[in-house]
Amino acid sequence: LWDHPLKSRTTRTLAHNTVLIDGKDQVTRERGGDVHFFRTSEHVKVMEASSRAYPNARLYRRTSALIDHGEGRNYVVDCFRVEGGATQDFVYHAGAAVTTVGASAAAALASENLYDFRRLQAISSATVWRASWPAGPALTAVAWNVSQPGERAFIGDGWGQRDWKNSDLGATLPYVVRRTEGAGMKTFFTVFEAHAGNSPFVRNVRLGENGALVIETALGTDTMMSSLESGTLTLPGVVSTAPLRGRFAVASVQGGRLAWTFVQK
């Protein structure tokens, strides 16, 4: 779609899995960028980076980690921290119709204007809710959304054309928007997984002690901590040889025993 008349629909910030501040596009010049760490191991591949994509944002930093248990059993943990602006929207789009669990769609919002979405609906959710959609033959994509205080969620149909030859001109896709408002740091936690058949690898996601993320899998329980400063990951009921201290840490407990750990200082 490089020279397509609707190129702006693909290059705008709304078309990407990221955070929009005050509903505006990111700046494209003098935005800089810093990689704070990049580490790989057998089970964890993680990167943290930030930029000045919004001049009015004091913080715009993302930590993304691939947690890999081998044999195709893996998932991504995404942590997006922002501070600045009046509204902060974490946006991603699905490939097909979305089914929600732990949330319910309210009546269509005829009076609220959210970008250029159609069939906009508000989502009433618990602290953790998930959205799923077909991602291919016998493949399901799942997004576990960890809500923070004051966060609201919406689903609407947005521009979804993918063929530059216009065979799908006018196509739409479901967009999920998680919105916060006001001052202070906002943290958008999401766990993304894709699985074949009816047996997902990730079984549940919840918040643990001290803001840690607890991911229950078919093998056991993974606990993850992400912090801007050094912190300590605790594992209640599990005896560890040493505390896990750092800015990012993951511990996997399988069969009641500590299977492996990962720490980024």
Side-chain angles (χ1 to χ4, degrees):
L1 298 178
W2 181 252
D3 58 354
H4 195 278
L6 295 176
K7 172 189 170 184
S8 62
R9 298 298 184 94
T10 63
T11 58
R12 62 181 181 170
T13 305
L14 185 64
H16 299 81
N17 177 331
T18 189
V19 171
L20 286 82
I21 293 181
D22 293 336
K24 299 178 181 178
D25 283 335
Q26 297 179 357
V27 297
T28 56
R29 297 180 181 224
E30 300 180 359
R31 54 185 287 159
D34 295 293
V35 174
H36 300 282
F37 59 79
F38 181 94
R39 282 272 311 281
T40 65
S41 71
E42 179 183 0
H43 297 291
V44 180
K45 298 172 179 64
V46 59
M47 178 178 179
E48 183 172 288
S50 64
S51 78
R52 295 178 292 279
Y54 289 94
N56 64 332
R58 295 182 58 192
L59 180 68
Y60 197 79
R61 184 179 294 203
R62 189 172 206 167
T63 310
S64 292
L66 173 64
I67 312 300
D68 193 350
H69 287 270
E71 300 180 0
R73 299 170 299 189
N74 52 62
Y75 59 89
V76 170
V77 178
D78 187 49
C79 175
F80 212 133
R81 295 181 174 93
V82 297
E83 183 177 357
T87 63
Q88 306 83 26
D89 290 337
F90 177 70
V91 180
Y92 61 88
H93 63 73
V98 171
T99 300
T100 61
V101 177
S104 59
L109 299 175
S111 60
E112 185 152 355
N113 181 24
L114 188 63
Y115 301 105
D116 54 4
F117 296 147
R118 292 179 289 174
R119 297 176 56 196
L120 184 65
Q121 291 184 310
I123 297 296
S124 175
S125 66
T127 301
V128 179
W129 62 281
R130 67 184 188 267
S132 62
W133 58 91
L139 189 67
T140 301
V142 183
W144 295 80
N145 306 278
V146 183
S147 301
Q148 57 198 300
E151 180 177 310
R152 296 186 295 156
F154 307 88
I155 294 180
D157 291 340
W159 188 75
Q161 181 180 347
R162 296 180 176 180
D163 181 16
W164 64 274
K165 294 183 178 180
N166 295 329
S167 66
D168 59 346
L169 184 65
T172 61
L173 291 172
Y175 283 68
V176 176
V177 179
R178 295 167 54 191
R179 168 169 285 189
T180 57
E181 297 174 288
M185 186 177 73
K186 316 296 183 183
T187 304
F188 296 94
F189 265 120
T190 319
V191 175
F192 294 100
E193 183 212 8
H195 64 84
N198 297 317
S199 182
F201 179 62
V202 176
R203 304 297 172 83
N204 191 36
V205 176
R206 57 183 173 85
L207 285 172
E209 294 184 4
N210 300 321
L213 202 61
V214 180
I215 301 99
E216 298 174 10
T217 73
L219 294 178
T221 301
D222 298 343
T223 306
M224 191 212 79
M225 174 203 69
S226 176
S227 175
L228 294 179
E229 306 293 338
S230 183
T232 302
L233 179 63
T234 59
L235 301 172
V238 178
V239 178
S240 177
T241 56
L244 302 180
R245 295 194 180 97
R247 291 168 53 192
F248 180 89
V250 185
S252 183
V253 176
Q254 302 172 22
R257 296 184 177 182
L258 190 63
W260 54 262
T261 64
F262 176 92
V263 178
Q264 167 64 39
K265 299 293 186 179

